[in-house]
Amino acid sequence: MKILYLTEWYPHRYDPMPGLFVRKHAAAAVRQGVDVCVLFLLKDKNVPTGVEIVEQTTDGITEIYAYYAGSFFSAVRQGWQAVKKSWGMPHLTQLNVLTKNGLLAYWLKKRYGIPYILVEHWSGYLPENNSFRGGWHGWLMKQVAREASVIMPVSQALENSMKAAGIRNNNWEHIHNVVDDFFYEGNAPKAKQEGTVFRFLHVSCFDERSKNTQGILRAVALLYSKRQDFELHLVGTGPDFEASVHTAEALGIHNMVVFFDGEKTPYGVHTAMVESDCFVLFSRYENAPVVLSESMACGLPIIATRVGGIPEMVTPENGILVESENVEELAQAMNTMISQAKLFDKSKIQHLGNCYSMQVVGAHLAETYEKYA
C-alpha cells in the first residue's frame, strides 16, 4: 500500500519541529508495512530561482521537499513530478491540514481516480481561535473537504468546530496523535519520598495567545504566598519566552520557585516528565496537545484548562480541569494536587495513554488506508 502525504507543516532544513506529529503518523504507518512518501512544499527566499527538490529518507519515510521562491503551482508541479519519478503513483493520498495543498489531492482524484483522506490538526476552526477564512479560499477548501473519503480530526471538539465552520462530509472518524515509544519506557511508578519538593512541569512553545504561560506564573505567585514546598519547571522556548522570564522576575518567583530549563530534545522532555509530579497546561485553546499524551504515557497527573479537545483527554482519573483565564482556580488546583497527587494511580494513567502509542495509532492508520484506498 503506497500512501502519499501532503502536509502544511513538516520538519525541514530550517526547523526540525513544525509538523513533527505528521512525521510520527507517517512513521507509525511505516511500521505497519505501509509505503509512505511525504511531499512538503516550503516558500524559501534562499532559493534564487525556480524550485529546489531535496529527497531524503527518515525512519523509513520517503521525504520529498520542494523549496521554492516563486510560484506555488510550479512547486506543486515539480514536486509531483519528483514523487512520480522517485517513488511512483500512490494508492491513496493523505492530506494533513486543509490548505491549498489539497488542490493536488483533489486533482489526483479527478485525474487518476486516487482517493484522499483529510487528517486535521489545525486549531483555527476552534471558536477561541476563529482563524478559518471565508471568501473564495474558504469556499474552495470546503469543496476539497467534501470530496475527501473521510475527515479525521484529532478531537471531537475539532470536528464540531469544523462542522460549525461549514465543513461538510458524509464520513467522520477521529485519529490520535502519536507518542514516541520511549515515553512508555522506564516509567515504573516511584514512591514520593517524604520531604521532597513537589515538582510541576510545563512544556510549550511559549506563545501567549494560545498557551497563557504567564497565567501559570501568576497562579504560582499566588500559591507561593501560601506555601513554598513546590517548584515549577518550564521547558521550551518561543516568541514570548523572554516576556515570561520578565513576568517571573517581576513576581519575585524567578529562580526561587520557578525555573526556566530551556528547549530540550524529546528524550529530555521524557526525562523531565519522569522527574516531575504533575504537568500543567493553562491554554486558551487547544485541540489534542501531544504533551498531554506524553504525560499520560509517563503516568503523570495533569492540570489543564477545559478548552478544545482537552476534556476528552483529561478526566478525574488522570487530572484536574480548570477554566481558562481563571488564575485563582489554577492556583487552587495546584494546591490540591500537591496534597492529593498520591491518590492518582500512575499505572492507570499509563494504561489510559496506551491509545497514543505508535503501535495502536499505526494500526488505526493502516486499517483506514485499506478501507478507503
Side-chain angles (χ1 to χ4, degrees), residues 1-3 5 26 28-36 60 362 365-366 369:
M1 178 75 66
K2 295 171 74 72
I3 309 299
Y5 277 40
V30 167
R31 288 195 187 185
Q32 298 294 318
V34 179
D35 186 359
V36 177
L365 287 168
Y369 301 152

Side-chain angles (χ1 to χ4, degrees), residues 17 20 24 31 59 179-187 201 203 235 263-275 294 298 358:
M17 297 307 295
L20 194 56
K24 290 179 181 179
R31 288 195 187 185
D59 295 330
V179 171
D180 286 309
D181 289 339
F182 57 83
F183 277 91
Y184 295 91
E185 299 167 357
N187 298 330
L201 176 68
V203 181
V235 171
E263 191 169 4
K264 291 182 180 292
T265 66
Y267 288 96
V269 171
H270 170 248
T271 299
M273 287 181 171
V274 171
E275 293 175 346
E294 293 169 343
C298 294
M358 279 271 184

